[in-house]
Amino acid sequence: MSNLTHLTIKDALKGLKSKDFTSAELTQAHIDAMGAAKDLNAYITETPDLALEQAKASDERRAKGEAGALDGIPLAIKDLFCTKNVQTTAASNILEGFKPQYESTVSSKLFDAGAVMLGKANLDEFAMGSSNTTSFYGNVINPWKSQNSNKDLTPGGSSGGSAASVAAYIAMGATGTDTGGSIRQPAAFCGISGIKPTYGRCSRWGVVAFASSLDQAGTFARTVEDNALLLRTMSGHDPKDSTSAKKDVPDFVAALNGDIKGLKVGIPKEYRVDGMPEEISKLWGQGIEWLKSAGAEIVDISLPHTHYALPTYYIIAPAEASSNLARYDGVRYGQRADEKDLIDMYELTRAQGFGDEVKRRIMIGTYVLSAGYYDAYYIKAQKVRRLISEDFKKAYEKCDVLLTPTAPSAAFAIGENEDDPIKMYLNDVFTVPASLAGLPGMSVPAGTDKDGLPLGLQIIGRPWDEETVLKVAQKIENLAQFKLWSPQSK
Ligand code: GLN
């Protein structure tokens, strides 16, 4: 039964429907595989008992003809989504032992559709990072290895555990969150696809907040279609999140396989950054050729403020984070330092509870929001954010989607870029602009570099037009014929 874990979600749903296997069997196969893949450290908390209980209930529902859209499908849930009575840590020491009394809207929608939770996936602490190395629970290891070295590689971040678990067949799909690239970059590093929908498409209720004006939930899966299946269930207006949009959820699955003849694909010239590895420009060129061959029209586009996106993001995201993280004071959630004096207790709780990257962001954020600097940094960044957004608006007068690389490199070794935060932040150069503009973006694996490591292409769409993004991604998937990770991919 071991190849049950290699099925796509779509095929697993078919198999469950035609009684080829039960959800209990499918879930047990994943639990066994998780046991054999412990070294990846993809999960912070595994929930095998809960998973088997959910699987059994799913099989009973199916027997009664009451199966939901994802009934019996085992998933990993990023440990940033609050899950009722199951420890939710955001990969931080400060939240160790925190068991929410409520379920995030996104995870409850998945469970209402019958999905099974295998566990809570590892991530960078409070989703701050691009390599999953800031987690208090240890780094995640990418299942991929370079053909030329045996070094452990990062899975990307912050949703590294989600991406690694799907790539390594220890989850059929996973939830992620993307504030500046945390779904798209790990998807690219792990050779799978992942979509961050339009800001407001999925509810943020019950998702531990990092930067509220940027945070957006999304999906990981091994095929574009599986992403569409998951996203269809997760999306929708939620009165509990004032930034979730009152928009009907289109049938993302039905949007696939459509024709892209005449579709205008924009190529932003500012994404040809200095020092971009040759293989990435080549792959981008290949992507352009594929879409042309499928009938798309290629249009040169300019997004003139792209250059300012990273500095803008690294002001706005820490500013919002410093405010959001003020709530961790040892009184309401998780850990509390043992101090008699109240102020000392707050200070020591935070000093012991937060890791270095989180502290760095709180300090940057507090600085840019402080009197005297607020106008010079925070307000200025908000103005530049508007200009970046306007760039996209203008571009979409000339094209329907944009095609770019997802990340400026393939997966790097664990420990690399670690002593230079700026170098680490540069990883987000292609993903951050769409986040600032709230646009949907998807990464799809399209090829490999000289070491045999996966590289992704990114499709960025108009607001609320995930359908076109998914359709283009699927075209690339069909044409690229990318080979997913397998134990032999070395
Ligand atoms: N790597 C980016 C950061 O560190 C993005 C993280 C994210 O999208 N959560 O902020």
Side-chain angles (χ1 to χ4, degrees):
M1 287 275 182
S2 73
N3 59 0
L4 282 185
T5 56
H6 287 234
L7 293 173
T8 61
I9 295 176
K10 183 187 170 200
D11 288 343
L13 285 168
K14 263 195 218 148
L16 288 166
K17 199 170 167 196
S18 52
K19 304 204 166 41
D20 296 343
F21 46 83
T22 62
S23 173
E25 288 166 335
L26 183 65
T27 301
Q28 187 61 52
H30 281 87
I31 294 170
D32 295 346
M34 285 159 76
K38 287 249 190 264
D39 54 332
L40 298 181
N41 200 25
Y43 288 92
I44 291 176
T45 306
E46 295 186 354
T47 52
D49 296 343
L50 173 66
L52 288 170
E53 208 178 284
Q54 288 175 326
K56 200 170 148 240
S58 165
D59 289 330
E60 284 165 11
R61 270 192 305 272
R62 197 171 285 281
K64 284 193 262 166
E66 292 167 2
L70 292 171
D71 231 301
I73 299 297
L75 302 176
I77 303 292
K78 184 178 184 180
D79 202 16
L80 203 63
F81 291 84
C82 287
T83 41
K84 196 171 177 182
N85 298 328
V86 176
Q87 176 177 252
T88 299
T89 67
S92 183
N93 185 21
I94 212 159
L95 277 177
E96 178 143 42
F98 169 54
K99 288 191 180 164
Q101 286 158 21
Y102 44 85
E103 190 69 50
S104 82
T105 298
V106 160
S107 50
S108 73
K109 275 175 179 278
L110 290 169
F111 299 147
D112 288 348
V116 167
M117 180 170 83
L118 292 165
K120 304 294 296 286
N122 205 342
L123 65 151
D124 278 302
E125 187 177 358
F126 284 104
M128 297 174 190
S130 310
S131 56
N132 212 128
T133 46
T134 70
S135 169
F136 175 72
Y137 300 89
N139 60 264
V140 173
I141 295 175
N142 191 327
W144 288 83
K145 286 259 187 323
S146 155
Q147 280 159 351
N148 303 312
S149 139
N150 213 21
K151 272 193 188 157
D152 285 339
L153 304 174
T154 86
S158 65
S159 316
S162 300
S165 64
V166 174
Y169 306 99
I170 52 174
M172 305 201 91
T175 64
T177 62
D178 188 312
T179 304
S182 274
I183 289 178
R184 292 160 285 163
Q185 185 252 22
F189 278 20
C190 291
I192 56 169
S193 43
I195 180 165
K196 171 201 104 77
T198 312
Y199 180 80
R201 180 63 94 187
C202 293
S203 169
R204 288 184 299 109
W205 195 81
V207 182
V208 176
F210 163 12
S212 310
S213 76
L214 295 154
D215 296 343
Q216 181 56 213
T219 64
F220 290 95
R222 293 187 290 266
T223 64
V224 172
E225 185 168 11
D226 282 0
N227 275 285
L229 271 164
L230 294 172
L231 190 63
R232 188 171 62 179
T233 298
M234 279 163 50
S235 300
H237 176 246
D238 177 9
K240 289 190 284 201
D241 170 8
S242 60
T243 61
S244 106
K246 280 196 182 124
K247 287 260 178 199
D248 289 339
V249 180
D251 185 344
F252 297 126
V253 182
L256 298 171
N257 293 314
D259 199 354
I260 64 159
K261 265 204 187 79
L263 193 86
K264 292 197 172 78
V265 178
I267 308 298
K269 65 170 188 225
E270 290 79 6
Y271 281 54
R272 292 196 192 284
V273 294
D274 284 347
M276 182 155 82
E278 182 58 36
E279 332 166 85
I280 293 185
S281 345
K282 249 177 90 185
L283 186 75
W284 194 9
Q286 174 69 73
I288 293 172
E289 290 310 315
W290 282 327
L291 296 181
K292 253 196 212 162
S293 73
E297 192 185 315
I298 305 298
V299 193
D300 287 329
I301 291 295
S302 173
L303 299 168
H305 296 92
T306 299
H307 184 62
Y308 302 106
L310 263 186
T312 303
Y313 172 86
Y314 277 99
I315 289 172
I316 292 175
E320 294 184 17
S322 70
S323 160
N324 273 326
L325 270 57
R327 75 190 68 176
Y328 303 106
D329 55 6
V331 176
R332 284 162 293 185
Y333 314 86
Q335 300 277 10
R336 177 181 304 175
D338 192 16
E339 284 287 329
K340 289 206 170 53
D341 179 82
L342 184 65
I343 303 291
D344 289 347
M345 187 282 283
Y346 288 156
E347 287 180 358
L348 199 66
T349 297
R350 290 170 67 83
Q352 291 173 345
F354 292 134
D356 288 348
E357 183 60 28
V358 174
K359 284 179 185 158
R360 178 182 295 128
R361 307 244 184 156
I362 291 175
M363 285 190 283
I364 296 172
T366 307
Y367 179 78
V368 301
L369 289 177
S370 58
Y373 295 103
Y374 186 83
D375 289 339
Y377 291 102
Y378 184 68
I379 296 288
K380 186 62 140 280
Q382 292 288 26
K383 289 180 180 168
V384 180
R385 180 178 190 175
R386 165 57 68 93
L387 294 175
I388 291 167
S389 233
E390 298 289 329
D391 281 358
F392 281 106
K393 243 191 220 147
K394 279 192 204 125
Y396 287 127
E397 287 167 10
K398 294 194 195 148
C399 66
D400 303 303
V401 283
L402 297 166
L403 179 74
T404 78
T406 307
S409 74
F412 46 87
I414 287 169
E416 224 175 281
N417 298 340
E418 211 66 355
D419 41 4
D420 184 351
I422 307 273
K423 235 176 136 190
M424 192 66 98
Y425 296 168
L426 280 173
N427 249 284
D428 308 328
V429 64
F430 299 139
T431 47
V432 150
S435 297
L436 288 167
L439 302 173
M442 177 160 206
S443 180
V444 59
T448 50
D449 74 353
K450 60 178 182 334
D451 298 322
L453 293 173
L455 297 172
L457 287 174
Q458 175 181 225
I459 299 110
I460 304 173
R462 292 196 174 101
W464 313 112
D465 192 13
E466 289 85 0
E467 289 164 284
T468 307
V469 171
L470 288 157
K471 197 159 74 175
V472 173
Q474 201 190 35
K475 276 278 171 305
I476 295 179
E477 177 178 75
N478 291 342
L479 292 163
Q481 290 294 313
F482 177 83
K483 273 178 69 193
L484 297 170
W485 178 80
S486 74
Q488 289 79 41
S489 313
K490 210 191 118 28

